[in-house]
Amino acid sequence: MKAEVFIQAEDADGSWTLLSLLASVVMVFGGALPYVPQYQEIQRSSNTEGFSTRVCLVLLVANILRIFFWIGKQFEVTLLLQSVVMILTMFAMLHLCCSVHSSNRVSTKQHRLTDLDVRYFWKWSAFEDYLLFCFGFAALCAVLTLLLLDSAVFVEALGSLAVTFEAMLAVPQLLQNLQNRCTRGMSVKMVLLWTVGDAFKTAYFVMNDSPAQFWVCGSVQILLDAAILLQVLLYGRDGRAKLG
């Protein structure tokens, strides 16, 4: 009888471990999945007007900050790996957008990071400028972290900044839709996957006792996702068809 109970306990532990591993894999790569349909949409249409590249800016800053937050407060490695995957995904999106802009450009005038023109911040012509900006930002974070790593206030501030930026992920897309008065060119599948992913990761944060900053961030993101889906319904006669 005891042997049967022991075997059942082992099976339960094994099943829980497998589910935990699966959840971790989904957390690492799931955040990148929403950008697959948007990537395909941009490739198909050769048009980036419906997608706000400032989404990439927000996510790059948020995940660079999260990596340095991890150095000061060693939370789950899963979330660290998720940040690395998300940074690579955003670089892929920016590379595609720069390629499309280059092929569609009529004027020979290019805007570069070295111009130091704030009017064209994050509207640069070359992908290398985005890489250079991120490298400079990461270098600044590295110096500050090295100097202030022993300060609990600094470490917590890093975490708060990281999740604040991440919580604002959908804001650039929300504003661009408002400016365009339509959602044409934006992949609705991307936003639906944002919503599913944000709900999943918020539940993951709560179940794994992650720092409070993380589940608060997830909750805000769900509300912003819902606002963009409302825009899809409001803008255009085919809004309801898009959601279907």
Side-chain angles (χ1 to χ4, degrees):
M1 185 67 178
K2 289 183 178 180
E4 289 180 1
V5 172
F6 180 74
I7 291 172
Q8 289 176 353
E10 276 194 330
D11 289 342
D13 289 342
S15 299
W16 178 252
T17 301
L18 182 60
L19 286 173
S20 179
L21 179 61
L22 181 60
S24 296
V25 171
V26 171
M27 279 296 295
V28 171
F29 296 102
L33 287 180
Y35 300 95
V36 173
Q38 184 64 68
Y39 191 96
Q40 292 172 332
E41 174 66 21
I42 293 173
Q43 276 189 321
R44 183 192 63 79
S45 65
S46 294
N47 191 322
T48 64
E49 289 183 7
F51 174 68
S52 174
T53 56
R54 291 186 185 273
V55 168
C56 300
L57 169 63
V58 171
L59 278 176
L60 284 168
V61 170
N63 284 283
I64 290 171
L65 287 172
R66 187 196 281 186
I67 288 173
F68 287 100
F69 180 41
W70 184 87
I71 293 173
K73 190 170 185 175
Q74 313 251 313
F75 46 85
E76 301 99 311
V77 176
T78 298
L79 300 182
L80 176 65
L81 295 176
Q82 183 194 49
S83 290
V84 173
V85 170
M86 187 58 70
I87 288 171
L88 294 175
T89 302
M90 292 303 99
F91 281 148
M93 292 296 297
L94 286 171
H95 185 269
L96 175 64
C97 290
C98 288
S99 298
V100 170
H101 287 157
S102 179
S103 61
N104 293 343
R105 189 182 300 120
V106 176
S107 171
T108 57
K109 174 64 177 175
Q110 294 192 4
H111 304 293
R112 303 300 303 266
L113 173 62
T114 51
D115 296 338
L116 301 178
D117 190 338
V118 294
R119 293 176 301 170
Y120 296 103
F121 175 76
W122 211 253
K123 297 178 182 178
W124 304 307
S125 304
F127 173 64
E128 292 79 6
D129 288 330
Y130 296 96
L131 288 177
L132 183 60
F133 173 85
C134 291
F135 176 79
F137 180 72
L140 175 63
C141 290
V143 171
L144 290 175
T145 302
L146 183 65
L147 293 174
L148 301 172
L149 188 59
D150 293 333
S151 169
V153 173
F154 172 76
V155 172
E156 290 300 325
L158 268 182
S160 297
L161 278 174
V163 296
T164 298
F165 271 97
E166 189 173 352
M168 297 298 106
L169 155 66
V171 170
Q173 190 63 57
L174 187 75
L175 295 177
Q176 180 145 327
N177 293 344
L178 281 172
Q179 181 181 342
N180 294 342
R181 303 299 294 177
C182 74
T183 57
R184 188 179 301 111
M186 180 198 75
S187 172
V188 180
K189 290 179 182 177
M190 176 184 73
V191 184
L192 289 172
L193 287 171
W194 274 355
T195 308
V196 173
D198 291 337
F200 174 83
K201 73 180 182 182
T202 301
Y204 178 91
F205 293 150
V206 173
M207 291 175 65
N208 285 274
D209 294 324
S210 299
Q213 296 102 317
F214 287 102
W215 63 261
V216 171
C217 161
S219 301
V220 172
Q221 284 181 291
I222 292 171
L223 293 175
L224 290 171
D225 296 340
I228 294 180
L229 291 175
L230 182 60
Q231 286 181 322
V232 175
L233 292 173
L234 292 175
Y235 295 146
R237 297 177 182 177
D238 59 341
R240 294 182 185 276
K242 282 184 177 181
L243 277 179

